[in-house]
Amino acid sequence: MQEIDEDGARKLLRPLDGDPDQPSAVRVETLLRAGRRRVRRRRMLAGGGLTAATAVVLVAVPVALAAVRDAGPGQVAQPGYPTPDDRYATGLTPPPVPTRCTPYRLPLPPGATESQVLDGDPSGRYLVGIARDGRTARTWTLRWDRGVLSVLEPPTTDPAQLLVNSQGVVAGDGIAVRDGTAVRVSWVYRYGRYVDLTDSAGSYLGDVLDLNEHGDVLGGVRTLALQGKPAGTKGGPPEPPGGQGGTPGDGAGASTPAPGGGRSDDHTLVPGRQPVVWAADAERSPTRLAGDGSGEPYVTGLDDDGTMVGGTVQFGADRAARMTVWPPDGKRRTLAPPRGHGVNPGHLSIRHGWVLGWSYPPAGGEEKVVPTRWNLRTGEVAPLTGLAWVSAINRYGWVAGFVRDASGVETPAVLAGERTIVLPMPAGAVPGKEGPAAVSVSDDGRVVGGVVSVAPDDAATAAVRWTCE
Amino acid sequence: MQPDWEQEYVEFVTAAMPKMRRLAYLLCGDAHRGDDLVQQTFTTLYVRWPRVRTVHHLDGYVRTVLIRFFQGEKRRLWSRRVRLTDSPPEPLPRGGPDVEERTVLRAALDRLPRRQRAVLVLRFLCDMSVTEVAEALSCAPGTVKSQSFHGLATLRRLLDEPSVAALATPSTAAAPSIAAGLPDAKGRS
């Protein structure tokens, strides 16, 4: 082992030294409340420990058997798995609102102690997720086909994002080792093989963000642009055309520091996500959204017809944030928030013209952000008051998410039409405040993918599907 | 908990808060996530207080708990991942080249495995000795040395990478490969 130049190491890291630049969000009173609550909960669990342990064992046995059985040949579908109703794969008439949903723990690889569903396809046939052995930190990437487990072996570890469509195409990203160096890689799994998503030179182009029914993958190149007016006294970045920052890589509108000049203090580094789309079978020939000088795009959703949704943000003197739709014809338009609400250009998703996102409530509301739904065909926009948090939207505007009760306990739920369906918990689940959620709802409304907590304090979660009828 | 013990706890937490916040901030690179870590650590301490209040060198004990939570943080974040939505991008702090240098260095540091990151922060930003770091991480001093060596080597290599360097001059980046690992608003990367 070579000796380390300690002074050199300190010098290298010194720029990071310092205290947090914000006042503490930790309050001693909050700690006392949280600590007392946890002590009470422990006592309660200790009192009912035997009953709880028995219940877990009774549940665990059939799940473990199912994992072995389902992995074997000859299984067509997990018993009881609903047949997708094709009538709702097209058309505009929504299916009837379900009246009953039944939870099933999804089968897992032997050894997995934690799991979660990350996405489900519009037909309800596929769910994808991850599992983990909490003792060894081993992880698995999983796809369930009609409830039957298969373990994927993507070129990356621990995918941060995992998406699936009705053809069983899976897209994801994560860390891979290439030429001895750990690098981020985006990939797509189709026709039984994994293909890297890159530019024509084979370079990584950003995180995977969405996947549509054609197999087109939306990626986001993380960008960091300088925006803002020059201070006028120190030189600094000249204002781009129109007074707005550009997108690195798009050429036009890029704000370039003045040659030989120092940068102004009066500018802001603005993170963005420049969208790139890999059409199916064009894994090395992505198309980019052309910059139009309207601020830094932060795209997050891709519809089947190529429409993209996201935000546009600019800082500096012309500070503005917009929720934005980029239709295939390139005529960008802005999505207005509900009346009286504020713009929140965070994560937006889209399915068949329905857009799911967030807005800031009118002043005085208790919630910090409000789930919001737009119908691009009719122009309607409405805050979704039935759900506390939302994850996904289907062809008919049905939304997966969770509800939260007065004590903060969260329960997976689906907003179907105007009705909120609170989903029942499977055996072995415990109330959770950080884990439970529905994350997908099929177009026919019959299959919901999600997660429940199975240990106190959400220390472990389990992948669940609900069959609704 | 007995009222006098609770008073002891409050006094200890109040005194230890600035130091622990700084450590958590240096480990996470983000004040919000750092505060989450501090809250998690001190809440756990409350539960254990009757047993640990007389522990010798309580500061070191709490620091070890915080570091362990940091190393296990990925698992907790992992279990919460389904609910993550990107927040609207927040502006990074205003500033000039210093801010950019920090941003680049932080992005590179965040790409290291958590244990290596912890070793570098504890040794070279918190000025802890190899023995102290080994104790805090429950590993051998030799492991601390090798993790330091590999962590620094990787860090220097990453800082030479065009993709990371591009963060420093994003507006001029013709190359598309902006580095991953740029912390976004909710620390998802």
Side-chain angles (χ1 to χ4, degrees):
Chain A
M1 179 65 56
Q2 298 178 31
E3 284 301 314
I4 290 172
D5 170 11
E6 300 214 3
D7 288 340
R10 286 195 184 88
K11 193 174 170 189
L12 175 69
L13 290 162
R14 192 172 299 145
L16 296 179
D17 201 2
D19 291 310
D21 51 8
Q22 297 173 21
S24 175
V26 185
R27 302 274 176 272
V28 175
E29 312 83 68
T30 311
L31 293 173
L32 289 173
R33 271 200 305 276
R36 289 169 190 151
R37 194 168 58 230
R38 197 178 292 181
V39 168
R40 275 198 304 274
R41 192 182 306 155
R42 285 190 163 209
R43 285 187 189 137
M44 196 169 65
L45 286 173
L50 182 62
T51 311
T54 308
V56 169
V57 170
L58 288 175
V59 172
V61 169
V63 169
L65 290 175
V68 175
R69 186 174 64 235
D70 291 343
Q75 285 286 343
V76 176
Q78 197 177 29
Y81 203 85
T83 305
D85 195 330
D86 293 340
R87 285 176 299 172
Y88 303 108
T90 56
L92 293 171
T93 307
V97 173
T99 56
R100 190 165 65 104
C101 294
T102 309
Y104 297 90
R105 294 272 289 270
L106 285 161
L108 301 174
T113 58
E114 304 169 47
S115 58
Q116 59 185 278
V117 174
L118 291 177
D119 193 28
D121 83 290
S123 77
R125 174 173 171 170
Y126 295 102
L127 296 169
V128 286
I130 44 183
R132 177 182 168 100
D133 180 344
R135 296 155 299 197
T136 62
R138 179 182 175 187
T139 60
W140 294 268
T141 304
L142 310 174
R143 187 182 73 174
W144 294 275
D145 179 355
R146 289 169 290 186
V148 178
L149 171 69
S150 57
V151 176
L152 302 180
E153 294 182 351
T156 57
T157 57
D158 196 10
Q161 179 70 284
L162 205 57
L163 302 156
V164 66
N165 72 8
S166 299
Q167 284 71 53
V169 174
V170 181
D173 57 37
I175 303 292
V177 175
R178 297 282 160 82
D179 300 325
T181 304
V183 293
R184 286 196 69 87
V185 172
S186 298
W187 50 265
V188 64
Y189 173 78
R190 56 164 68 96
Y191 312 133
R193 67 190 184 100
Y194 299 90
V195 183
D196 283 0
L197 297 169
T198 66
D199 65 6
S200 57
S203 297
Y204 167 72
L205 272 188
D207 308 332
V208 162
L209 299 170
D210 206 358
L211 166 71
N212 70 12
E213 284 292 90
H214 300 299
D216 306 329
V217 179
L218 172 69
V221 180
R222 291 189 183 210
T223 59
L224 195 61
L226 295 172
Q227 286 190 358
K229 295 199 173 200
T233 54
K234 300 181 186 175
E239 193 171 7
Q244 293 143 352
T247 303
D250 68 4
S255 54
T256 309
R263 285 191 175 130
S264 160
D265 285 342
D266 190 17
H267 70 266
T268 307
L269 291 164
V270 183
R273 265 190 179 143
Q274 188 200 21
V276 288
V277 176
W278 290 273
D281 298 319
E283 291 92 356
R284 289 177 67 121
S285 307
T287 55
R288 290 168 181 258
L289 182 73
D292 60 1
S294 62
E296 200 63 13
Y298 205 83
V299 69
T300 52
L302 173 68
D303 209 349
D304 293 345
D305 68 357
T307 300
M308 289 182 279
V309 290
T312 313
V313 180
Q314 62 189 63
F315 292 101
D318 300 319
R319 184 183 176 107
R322 305 178 192 88
M323 292 172 281
T324 309
V325 177
W326 291 271
D329 63 11
K331 294 178 181 169
R332 173 180 57 83
R333 63 188 233 241
T334 298
L335 281 179
R339 183 182 297 274
H341 288 59
V343 171
N344 180 328
H347 188 102
L348 277 81
S349 47
I350 184 168
R351 171 98 182 104
H352 200 58
W354 288 95
V355 175
L356 184 65
W358 305 85
S359 57
Y360 290 112
E366 286 186 5
E367 295 293 334
K368 289 181 182 169
V369 290
V370 179
T372 304
R373 183 177 60 192
W374 291 261
N375 184 336
L376 296 185
R377 278 181 294 276
T378 64
E380 289 172 86
V381 53
L384 301 179
T385 52
L387 297 173
W389 201 270
V390 294
S391 306
I393 192 163
N394 80 359
R395 180 184 180 87
Y396 301 100
W398 295 14
V399 176
F402 61 71
V403 293
R404 185 187 293 126
D405 70 16
S407 66
V409 169
E410 295 161 353
T411 308
V414 170
L415 180 65
E418 299 305 318
R419 191 174 150 226
T420 301
I421 303 170
V422 179
L423 297 166
M425 292 289 99
V430 299
K433 295 184 176 180
E434 295 280 351
V439 300
S440 69
V441 53
S442 61
D443 284 347
D444 64 8
R446 302 182 70 187
V447 177
V448 177
V451 183
V452 298
S453 290
V454 289
D457 292 336
D458 305 296
T461 61
V464 174
R465 76 167 166 87
W466 285 266
T467 295
C468 298
E469 52 194 1
Chain B
M1 193 191 295
Q2 296 177 17
D4 53 336
W5 288 1
E6 196 163 275
Q7 184 57 33
E8 277 178 18
Y9 168 84
V10 169
E11 285 170 11
F12 174 81
V13 165
T14 306
M17 184 76 78
K19 203 183 289 183
M20 292 305 152
R21 278 197 79 220
R22 178 173 182 272
L23 173 60
Y25 172 66
L26 292 173
L27 288 169
C28 299
D30 177 291
H32 294 297
R33 285 171 63 204
D35 279 352
D36 280 352
L37 204 56
V38 170
Q39 175 140 347
Q40 192 183 359
T41 303
F42 282 140
T43 305
T44 301
L45 182 68
Y46 182 94
V47 177
R48 298 179 186 170
W49 188 253
R51 278 182 290 131
V52 303
R53 50 185 275 279
T54 55
V55 161
H56 211 53
H57 193 28
L58 191 55
D59 267 345
Y61 170 82
V62 174
R63 188 173 59 207
T64 300
V65 172
L66 188 144
I67 292 167
R68 286 192 184 151
F69 277 136
F70 166 72
Q71 290 186 283
E73 187 193 31
K74 189 174 178 188
R75 197 187 83 165
R76 287 188 64 81
L77 290 177
W78 180 86
S79 72
R80 294 176 188 174
R81 187 157 54 200
V82 291
R83 64 185 302 184
L84 289 178
T85 60
D86 288 339
S87 287
E90 295 288 338
L92 296 175
R94 282 166 177 264
D98 287 352
V99 169
E100 293 170 26
E101 187 183 357
R102 281 204 301 276
T103 305
V104 172
L105 187 55
R106 190 73 233 181
L109 187 67
D110 287 346
R111 287 212 216 165
L112 300 187
R114 279 175 181 258
R115 178 175 273 208
Q116 282 183 16
R117 214 186 309 169
V119 165
L120 296 189
V121 166
L122 294 173
R123 273 195 78 181
F124 304 118
L125 288 174
C126 297
D127 285 327
M128 288 169 62
S129 69
V130 169
T131 312
E132 287 172 326
V133 175
E135 202 172 295
L137 294 176
S138 305
C139 64
T143 305
V144 173
K145 288 181 185 170
S146 65
Q147 295 275 306
S148 305
F149 178 80
H150 291 302
L152 285 169
T154 307
L155 195 60
R156 290 198 166 103
R157 190 171 66 241
L158 286 170
L159 290 171
D160 286 339
E161 266 188 14
S163 57
V164 173
L167 283 169
T169 52
S171 54
T172 57
S177 55
I178 300 297
L182 170 65
D184 62 14
K186 279 207 169 179
R188 176 181 157 176
S189 60

